[in-house]
Amino acid sequence: YSSKRLTTPYTLYDLTLENNAVEKVNISASLKRAVEQQEFELWYQPIIHLNDNSLYGVEALIRWPRADGSYTSPSVFIHIAEQTTLINQITDWVLQQVSKDIVYFESLGLALCIHINLSAKDLQDPKLIDKTSSLLNGNLTSQKIMFEITESAMMTNVEQAKMAMAQITATGGTFSIDDFGTGFSSLELLRDLPVKQIKIDRSFISNIHHKDADLAIVKSVIFLSQHLNCAVVAEGVEQIETVDLLKSLGCDLAQGYYYSRPIQITNFDSFIKKSVA
Ligand code: C2E
Ligand code: MG
Ligand code: MG
Ligand code: MG
């Protein structure tokens, strides 16, 4: 088997591609149904203040359950949805779900910042501002809303992004650059777009103890953020050593499995009780 594998790598490669293509068609078809039937769940992952370990907010992360109880990963289906207008319908559902869940977050008596991921196509959607402003004008009393956008989504059409972001900013929303460092990391974006926060991608955080280059990049992004008056979040924090190092570097916020995986809103209560105890 292994020698066959060595002599015909291209056959195996093609097969994978083919399977991926078939899988993609399958997912696209069931995704359409999932959107119509609202088969999604919205989970939340805590984001923590590094200085005092208090809860700063949560990131809303979509979940698509299968019949057997497992989940199709959003890193698979969001990418497929982004190739069609299904992504806009998914974002509509997320915004509506957050406006329902906010009632619960309000009831906790905490002032949280709720993060929502937006795609490039959302920034091109002329109805986006209406949809976000109905959320921003709705049930919000102590809760704030921040939208996460990747560098490449902002770059897709900078002028359009700038306009949409300015409109949303005027209605009380704020913006964070997601997965910072993995896109084009244009300093022009940081200068010209109304960004209040930078999220350093997990790929720089996970090797921060072993790779000098990653440490240098993280230090520089923290320094840059501070001088731009942006808050800075470390994504993918899994170990206490990383927490300590990030604290010593002056990083503001952290998110990752060390604190909590994304959880269902029904489990949030016990997360809070556990973390306060
Ligand atoms: P993202 O916005 O960068 O979200 C962070 C991802 O990192 C989440 O994956 C989260 O579960 C994962 N993560 C958090 N902490 C850790 C950690 O310590 N270790 C590791 N290994 N992973 C960690 P998830 O939920 O699978 O989402 C993947 C991506 O799918 C998101 O990346 C985002 O780009 C997209 N996505 C998820 N929900 C939505 C949504 O509602 N709308 C849109 N447009 N995109 C979404
Ligand atoms: Mg995100
Ligand atoms: Mg991210
Ligand atoms: Mg990501």
Side-chain angles (χ1 to χ4, degrees), residues 25-259:
V25 171
N26 285 340
I27 291 178
S28 310
S30 42
L31 194 56
K32 205 163 166 255
R33 186 205 61 223
V35 168
E36 282 159 9
Q37 310 280 321
Q38 308 206 327
E39 287 173 14
F40 304 109
E41 295 170 8
L42 202 56
W43 291 34
Y44 292 91
Q45 187 178 30
I47 306 173
I48 308 293
H49 283 288
L50 279 164
N51 61 356
D52 62 1
N53 286 322
S54 64
L55 182 62
Y56 147 89
V58 291
E59 177 174 3
L61 293 159
I62 197 165
R63 293 291 179 263
W64 182 17
R66 299 194 189 98
D68 67 359
S70 63
Y71 289 86
T72 306
S73 169
S75 38
V76 173
F77 75 83
I78 289 291
H79 180 68
I80 295 171
E82 280 173 340
Q83 290 159 23
T84 66
T85 53
L86 282 176
I87 190 63
N88 302 110
Q89 288 165 265
I90 289 175
T91 301
D92 293 353
W93 178 84
V94 170
L95 293 170
Q96 281 166 28
Q97 191 58 43
V98 169
S99 66
K100 290 178 192 162
D101 291 343
I102 269 181
V103 179
Y104 170 77
F105 288 121
E106 287 282 345
S107 78
L108 293 176
L110 301 166
L112 300 178
C113 187
I114 300 163
H115 285 226
I116 298 172
N117 291 285
L118 294 181
S119 296
K121 276 224 168 79
D122 295 317
L123 291 175
Q124 320 293 319
D125 178 2
K127 295 200 201 87
L128 180 68
I129 178 73
D130 295 335
K131 295 167 186 170
T132 56
S133 53
S134 75
L135 170 66
L136 291 162
N137 297 328
N139 285 318
L140 292 177
T141 312
S142 331
Q143 317 310 315
K144 292 192 172 74
I145 302 286
M146 183 173 262
F147 297 99
E148 297 191 5
I149 308 181
T150 61
E151 295 155 301
S152 47
M154 291 180 187
M155 297 279 278
T156 305
N157 181 341
V158 181
E159 283 315 307
Q160 177 60 34
K162 209 188 267 186
M163 210 173 68
M165 289 170 78
Q167 285 178 328
I168 291 173
T169 302
T171 57
T174 52
F175 289 93
S176 174
I177 304 188
D178 203 356
D179 305 344
F180 188 78
T182 60
F184 297 97
S185 303
S186 157
L187 299 175
E188 216 177 348
L189 290 181
L190 286 176
R191 187 193 60 198
D192 296 343
L193 296 176
V195 170
K196 283 266 180 278
Q197 185 190 80
I198 292 173
K199 295 187 86 172
I200 308 174
D201 190 68
R202 185 171 84 222
S203 57
F204 299 104
I205 304 297
S206 46
N207 294 316
I208 194 173
H209 298 279
H210 317 292
K211 286 201 183 154
D212 291 346
D214 286 350
L215 179 60
I217 289 167
V218 170
K219 277 184 183 169
S220 310
V221 175
I222 293 171
F223 182 83
L224 182 66
S225 307
Q226 286 167 341
H227 288 266
L228 287 166
N229 278 320
C230 284
V232 59
V233 187
E235 296 189 298
V237 174
E238 296 186 357
Q239 294 165 339
I240 181 72
E241 292 77 23
T242 313
V243 171
D244 293 338
L245 180 54
L246 289 166
K247 263 186 205 172
S248 76
L249 298 177
C251 185
D252 303 299
L253 300 158
Q255 177 180 356
Y257 295 171
Y258 172 73
Y259 296 102

